Amino acid sequence: MNSPTPDPMTEETPVSEGPSFADILSEFEQQSHAAPGGPIEGTVLSVADDGVVVDIGRKLDGVLDPAKLKNPEGVFTVQPGAKVMVSIAGGTDEKGRLILSTHAVAQPKDWTGLQSAFDEKKTITGRVLEVIKGGLRVDVGVRAFMPASRSGVREVSDLESLVGQEIECRITKLDTDKEDVVVDRRVVTEEQEREARQKAFEVVAEGQEVMGKVRNLTDFGAFVDIGGVDGLLHVADISWTRIGKPSDVLKTGDEVKVKVLKVNRETKKISLGMKQLQPEPWSLAEGKFAQGDRVRGTVARTTDFGAFIELLPGVEGLIHVSEMSWTKRNPRPADLLKPGEVVEAVVLSSNPAEKKISLGLKQALGDPWDEVPEKFKPGTVIEAASVISIQKFGAFVQLAEGVEGMIHVGDITGEKRIETPKDLISVGQTVRCVVTEVDREKRRLRLSMKQLEPTKTDVWISEHKVGDTVTGRVQDVRDTRLTVELGEGVTGVCRMAAEEKASGGGAVNARKADVSSAAALLAAKFKQGVGAPETAPKIRTGETRKFTIASIDPQKRRIDLELAD
């Protein structure tokens, strides 16, 4: 007969016995609130000014007073991951963490222990009792002396802060007979700092972004503590914009975010950068500045060859000295532009890939030569032109802002020959001149002063009129054209009729022929004989004759004459 199957709902199932809640709580309290005592090796989890958190293998983490883990400069002597020997001081802080203390290094109890520590150069503990002349009195089991220079503090005034503290030190002198003991704290703190720096250096890697504190400033950069090890933040890596010196933007004690640029394991040098955390400015300039654009910027600095203009933070363009003025050939940039001044310029070329932008200052003002061909045509009289410079070959005068012309030495006066313009004019003098030549491509204007001088011809013309009979001396005879001197420096032109040219084989008869027919002419020639001279006199060079004024052109100084009967 089969036994009935037990009903799980009615049958009692045995329950395995385990720890009760009371047992668990008791164990937790025992582990969490362990009594103060023996040393425990812990691992540093985090380092901060509100406490150094340590994993001691219990359900609760422990916390150490950060002040006891800093060197005299305020730098932590431990980093996350470091192993430390601690003791549970008892109780918890407001965050529920066990309060710990650093485990004291054994203190020698007798002279034998002191001798052993001295011989083996062991680190011992002591309590600073008081400040005395030259240093500190320290209890290391016996009374010992610590020189101020070996206390590990920078200022004598800081010695007082060590009184009452437990310190680690090393015996440097031991005379048991005289009970003379000298200890050194500085050698221990320096070793701890070296160890801390080495551990910190080992975890630093290129590309890391870390927080640091400015420890020291120099003209070439800033030294930044990035957790027990210093890195150099060079002045060129502080900002994309140009700065004079680090102290312009940083001060000692500043908390800064930096990027690790380079780590040299051999020399143990670390290079840091701040600007590398920001976008590269020239990448923003790509496509922003095109040739011909008018832009505004601030004068960053001037040099002998030009001026640098900041267009964007970290983006500068150059105005070359040759692009600063239409008139000044070699100006000093510092005379035209001042740092901090806002100017408008024209982009002449842009190459962000090579970090180059060429700017023009004079182009933003407009080229005054654009109006020259129309405004200063040949023949235009300039009533007041200012002489701005004098050379041996001529004088330069300013006709308008940005427009200069040149008066050649031979065009200054027609009255006499001069060797240099300085014989008649000087810089700053105002002169009257006329435009004789314009060359837009070469940007050249040629002027003349002598063309505006009243000549002897001008005076003669002003005293005569058309129809007047005048006396003149024939200077030149050429075909139908006579050049006649009417006065000193005054000449006129007389053109002869065709029949006058034929008479006498090209010479002009001064009166009508007294023969009226060919027969009479032949008879006369027969009587005179073949080859005899003609009776009709000819006009020859040097003769003085009377002429009638046929026309006068004052502008061209031209006088036309006719032979008078």
Side-chain angles (χ1 to χ4, degrees):
M1 179 177 211
N2 294 331
S3 300
T5 303
D7 186 351
M9 300 298 294
T10 58
E11 294 291 331
E12 293 185 359
T13 304
V15 179
S16 62
E17 295 185 359
S20 66
F21 176 77
D23 294 335
I24 296 173
L25 179 61
S26 175
E27 180 184 357
F28 175 79
E29 289 178 343
Q30 289 177 6
Q31 292 188 1
S32 300
H33 301 281
I40 303 171
E41 183 180 59
T43 303
V44 177
L45 297 178
S46 64
V47 176
D49 287 335
D50 63 346
V52 176
V53 180
V54 182
D55 179 6
I56 57 174
R58 305 291 177 91
K59 286 184 169 60
L60 294 179
D61 292 329
V63 63
L64 286 168
D65 182 358
K68 295 183 179 298
L69 297 171
K70 289 184 177 180
N71 62 22
E73 286 73 36
V75 178
F76 280 104
T77 58
V78 295
Q79 296 298 319
K83 300 294 184 180
V84 292
M85 297 299 295
V86 297
S87 300
I88 298 175
T92 59
D93 66 359
E94 67 277 3
K95 296 183 179 180
R97 299 174 298 191
L98 292 174
I99 298 175
L100 308 176
S101 64
T102 53
H103 185 67
V105 178
Q107 185 182 78
K109 300 299 183 182
D110 53 27
W111 287 101
T112 303
L114 291 173
Q115 186 67 52
S116 175
F118 175 68
D119 294 339
E120 298 177 18
K121 298 182 179 180
K122 291 182 179 178
T123 298
I124 62 174
T125 61
R127 180 177 294 276
V128 179
L129 300 176
E130 61 180 333
V131 178
I132 61 175
K133 183 178 180 180
L136 298 166
R137 182 75 66 197
V138 183
D139 180 7
V140 293
V142 297
R143 297 206 168 211
F145 173 67
M146 180 188 294
S149 62
R150 307 308 302 177
S151 64
V153 298
R154 294 183 180 275
E155 303 293 336
V156 176
S157 58
D158 294 333
L159 290 175
E160 195 70 41
S161 64
L162 294 178
V163 176
Q165 289 192 27
E166 284 193 358
I167 63 170
E168 294 182 358
C169 56
R170 193 168 294 162
I171 301 172
T172 57
K173 180 181 178 182
L174 179 65
D175 189 332
T176 56
D177 294 336
K178 297 181 179 180
E179 297 187 356
D180 183 12
V181 183
V182 179
V183 294
D184 185 340
R185 174 174 177 262
R186 178 175 168 182
V187 66
V188 177
T189 58
E190 287 177 347
E191 286 179 359
Q192 292 173 343
E193 288 174 5
R194 283 195 296 270
E195 291 175 2
R197 282 196 298 270
Q198 180 60 34
K199 291 178 180 178
F201 187 82
E202 289 172 357
V203 300
V204 174
E206 294 180 6
Q208 285 182 334
E209 296 179 10
V210 296
M211 293 299 298
K213 180 180 289 188
V214 177
R215 190 176 62 80
N216 188 29
L217 293 172
T218 68
D219 288 341
F220 58 84
F223 288 95
V224 181
D225 177 7
I226 56 171
V229 62
D230 283 353
L232 173 61
L233 175 60
H234 194 273
V235 62
D237 291 312
I238 293 177
S239 172
W240 288 113
T241 58
R242 187 180 297 271
I243 60 175
K245 51 187 177 180
S247 59
D248 292 340
V249 294
L250 297 173
K251 62 181 183 296
T252 302
D254 280 353
E255 296 282 346
V256 294
K257 187 175 184 180
V258 294
K259 183 174 183 178
V260 179
L261 304 180
K262 186 176 181 181
V263 179
N264 191 320
R265 303 291 178 186
E266 294 181 0
T267 61
K268 290 184 168 51
K269 290 183 179 179
I270 300 173
S271 297
L272 306 174
M274 284 178 61
K275 72 179 185 182
Q276 287 77 8
L277 299 175
Q278 303 296 325
E280 208 284 332
W282 280 94
S283 64
L284 304 177
E286 188 71 39
K288 190 175 181 65
F289 302 103
Q291 184 176 355
D293 286 352
R294 297 177 75 90
V295 295
R296 291 174 64 83
T298 303
V299 179
R301 63 193 184 283
T302 60
T303 67
D304 290 339
F305 57 85
F308 287 92
I309 311 299
E310 185 179 59
L311 304 176
L312 294 173
V315 177
E316 293 181 355
L318 171 65
I319 302 178
H320 192 267
V321 64
S322 63
E323 304 298 343
M324 288 188 170
S325 173
W326 292 110
T327 55
K328 297 179 175 63
R329 289 173 175 79
N330 293 299
R332 290 183 67 248
D335 292 340
L336 300 180
L337 298 173
K338 304 297 180 186
E341 180 183 355
V342 177
V343 298
E344 189 174 76
V346 172
V347 177
L348 303 181
S349 64
S350 177
N351 191 340
E354 295 184 3
K355 298 183 179 180
K356 290 181 180 180
I357 296 179
S358 178
L359 304 173
L361 180 63
K362 66 184 184 182
Q363 288 80 358
L365 304 176
D367 188 352
W369 272 85
D370 290 341
E371 299 179 355
V372 166
E374 183 63 30
K375 190 174 181 180
F376 299 103
K377 295 179 179 178
T380 302
V381 176
I382 312 300
E383 295 295 338
S386 177
V387 179
I388 56 176
S389 69
I390 294 178
Q391 307 295 330
K392 187 174 182 179
F393 57 84
F396 288 93
V397 299
Q398 185 172 15
L399 307 183
E401 184 65 32
V403 179
E404 295 178 6
M406 193 269 287
I407 306 174
H408 192 270
V409 64
D411 291 320
I412 291 178
T413 181
E415 294 294 328
K416 60 180 180 179
R417 180 181 179 84
I418 60 175
E419 297 297 328
T420 172
K422 291 182 179 180
D423 292 342
L424 291 179
I425 58 178
S426 59
V427 174
Q429 181 180 342
T430 299
V431 298
R432 187 168 180 264
C433 56
V434 62
V435 178
T436 60
E437 181 185 342
V438 179
D439 190 329
R440 173 69 179 84
E441 296 302 320
K442 295 181 179 179
R443 306 175 76 87
R444 184 174 68 189
L445 268 173
R446 186 151 184 177
L447 309 170
S448 174
M449 290 172 59
K450 75 176 184 180
Q451 288 193 16
L452 298 180
E453 289 180 343
T455 64
K456 293 179 179 180
T457 300
D458 294 326
V459 175
W460 192 94
I461 289 175
S462 68
E463 296 174 350
H464 295 81
K465 63 183 183 299
V466 175
D468 286 355
T469 299
V470 295
T471 301
R473 187 175 68 86
V474 178
Q475 285 186 328
D476 186 37
V477 179
R478 293 189 182 181
D479 296 333
T480 61
R481 184 178 182 275
L482 301 179
T483 301
V484 181
E485 181 182 17
L486 300 174
E488 185 180 353
V490 182
T491 59
V493 175
C494 176
R495 294 189 179 279
M496 301 175 295
E499 59 272 14
E500 293 174 327
K501 175 183 177 182
S503 175
V508 179
N509 207 336
R511 60 182 182 275
K512 294 181 181 179
D514 51 359
V515 291
S516 57
S517 64
L521 180 59
L522 290 173
K525 284 186 176 290
F526 178 75
K527 290 180 180 181
Q528 295 173 358
V530 179
E534 297 179 3
T535 57
K538 303 174 182 177
I539 296 179
R540 294 181 173 83
T541 300
E543 288 186 4
T544 299
R545 292 295 183 99
K546 288 193 177 295
F547 300 88
T548 300
I549 299 175
S551 66
I552 296 175
D553 186 339
Q555 294 297 325
K556 296 181 179 179
R557 296 187 175 96
R558 180 183 177 89
I559 304 170
D560 291 326
L561 306 171
E562 293 179 352
L563 281 168
D565 292 338

